[in-house]
Amino acid sequence: MQKYDYLIVGAGLFGSVFAHEAKKKGRSCLVIDKRPHLGGNVYCENVDGINVHKYGAHIFHTNDKAIWDYVNQFAEFNNYINSPVSISKGKLYNLPFNMNTFYQLWGVKTPAEAREIISKQIEEYGVKNPKNLEEQALSLIGRDIYETLIKEYTEKQWGRKASELPAFIIKRLPVRYTFDNNYFNDKYQGIPVGGYNKIIDGLLNGIETRTNVDFFKDKQTLESLAKKVVFTGKIDEYFNYEFGKLEYRSLRFENEQLNTDNFQGNAVINYNDSDVPYTRIIEHKHFEFGKQKHTVVTKEYPEQWTSKKEAYYPINNEENQNKFKQYKEKSKTRNKVIFGGRLAEYKYYDMHQIIGSALQKVKTEFS
């Protein structure tokens, strides 16, 4: 029954890159996905000429020229720079934390003044060995920035008190003593003109794909179609939750089309306050400098994850990491299955990292 060299479960970036590279090596692939579309979380839905990032804002950024050149094979990128704004207690603040933010907080105009305030607050509120996220943040940035721009937002995002979250979630915080609102430090940044579907379509060109296919409903039959499987879904689900379920945070998106050409003046605005149930509003047209007379906005609500919801952010605490280690060890016994991607590796990846990871797996597979 083996008709293909590879059955690729999941049509996101990892699976699509692997399929593209395998095809170049002369291998046959079948790519399946349980969703009604290809592209995974980078999928864009065209709403009256506006490319809506259906599963949250995706901004491509990397310092790796090889990765940048790779994605530019499939789409032209614009020069979009992510410069989010944050609302806290009715006031606007620039992100990441920079001289504009410090002026908005304290009225300071020089790096020396800002450094002095932050240093004093770290000395006063920081601790030598932070045991949780709150202590870690206070030790990195001081009280004012933490309470104004981190605490409530983070607690909404993760659904628990900052004092109950592990310190490693924020190993570092971006602090700039310049008037620079560019959120990322990477050399190469932008959004593909026409949306991310162009990249996925380019990667999967000439490859057989099937959507609305639930791998686990007919696992044995589907696996028998190919010599090897590339699995990009949840690793615990693959092994039937043998060592327990891994935990995630989920998101819910509420879209609205508005009869105005400009709703908020920026692609991304964060809402810090705990009495606002969503964490941010995305206005998608600004990703591509749209001139449409209408707009589409998305409110992003963090939610407790259940098996019926999409898994977005792995909760990498000690308990979950111990479970994942057991799954990872078991995965090594499956020599005909390649596990890769955010869910299979239980790791949060940016897009360039997913592509890099897939290319590395390809290199290993075909070496």
Side-chain angles (χ1 to χ4, degrees), residues 34 234 236-237 241 245-246 248 250 304-311:
K34 67 179 180 181
K234 296 194 290 293
D236 55 343
E237 188 175 12
Y241 309 109
K245 286 189 178 181
L246 296 170
Y248 296 86
S250 191
Q304 188 74 23
W305 177 77
T306 69
S307 57
K308 293 181 179 179
K309 296 179 182 177
E310 292 292 342

Side-chain angles (χ1 to χ4, degrees), residues 167-357:
F168 66 75
I169 289 178
I170 51 167
K171 292 177 182 176
R172 61 184 183 85
L173 287 169
V175 180
R176 295 183 190 153
Y177 294 97
T178 61
F179 291 89
D180 179 10
N181 297 323
N182 183 349
Y183 194 78
F184 302 113
N185 286 314
D186 299 300
K187 183 176 182 180
Y188 307 105
Q189 301 181 41
I191 302 282
V193 177
Y196 285 96
N197 297 2
K198 289 203 166 187
I199 294 175
I200 298 298
D201 291 346
L203 286 166
L204 295 177
N205 183 36
I207 295 168
E208 186 178 347
T209 62
R210 300 180 193 172
T211 54
N212 292 306
V213 176
D214 188 335
F215 173 70
F216 291 105
K217 283 188 176 176
D218 203 7
K219 182 180 175 186
Q220 191 172 352
T221 302
L222 287 167
E223 285 190 318
S224 71
L225 294 175
K227 296 173 186 175
K228 293 186 89 170
V229 174
V230 177
F231 182 76
T232 72
K234 296 194 290 293
I235 191 169
D236 55 343
E237 188 175 12
Y238 184 89
F239 291 110
N240 199 28
Y241 309 109
E242 181 178 340
F243 307 114
K245 286 189 178 181
L246 296 170
E247 294 178 293
Y248 296 86
R249 281 293 280 173
S250 191
L251 296 170
R252 175 170 61 86
F253 303 102
E254 198 175 89
N255 299 327
E256 189 176 2
Q257 187 169 346
L258 302 173
N259 189 27
T260 178
D261 65 342
N262 189 0
F263 173 72
Q264 64 184 18
N266 205 43
V268 182
I269 294 187
N270 289 0
Y271 286 77
N272 284 279
D273 300 349
S274 58
D275 59 354
V276 178
Y278 44 87
T279 49
R280 57 183 182 172
I281 295 180
I282 310 300
E283 188 168 8
H284 301 268
K285 68 185 295 182
H286 295 307
F287 289 132
E288 297 186 62
F289 315 111
K291 303 295 183 186
Q292 298 91 343
K293 292 182 179 179
H294 59 282
T295 194
V296 178
V297 299
T298 300
K299 291 176 180 175
E300 193 170 297
Y301 296 82
E303 287 193 333
Q304 188 74 23
W305 177 77
T306 69
S307 57
K308 293 181 179 179
K309 296 179 182 177
E310 292 292 342
Y312 286 98
Y313 301 108
I315 298 177
N316 297 114
N317 58 22
E318 188 176 354
E319 181 185 351
N320 284 307
Q321 283 304 110
N322 287 337
K323 288 179 191 174
F324 172 66
K325 284 176 187 174
Q326 294 179 80
Y327 287 119
K328 188 175 182 180
E329 283 304 308
K330 184 146 188 172
S331 73
K332 293 175 184 176
T333 68
R334 298 293 196 270
N335 57 7
K336 292 188 176 181
V337 184
I338 296 168
F339 293 87
R342 181 176 50 91
L343 300 176
E345 297 178 60
Y346 199 60
K347 182 178 181 180
Y348 181 80
Y349 277 118
D350 284 326
M351 287 178 286
H352 66 286
Q353 294 168 325
I354 282 277
I355 292 168
S357 175

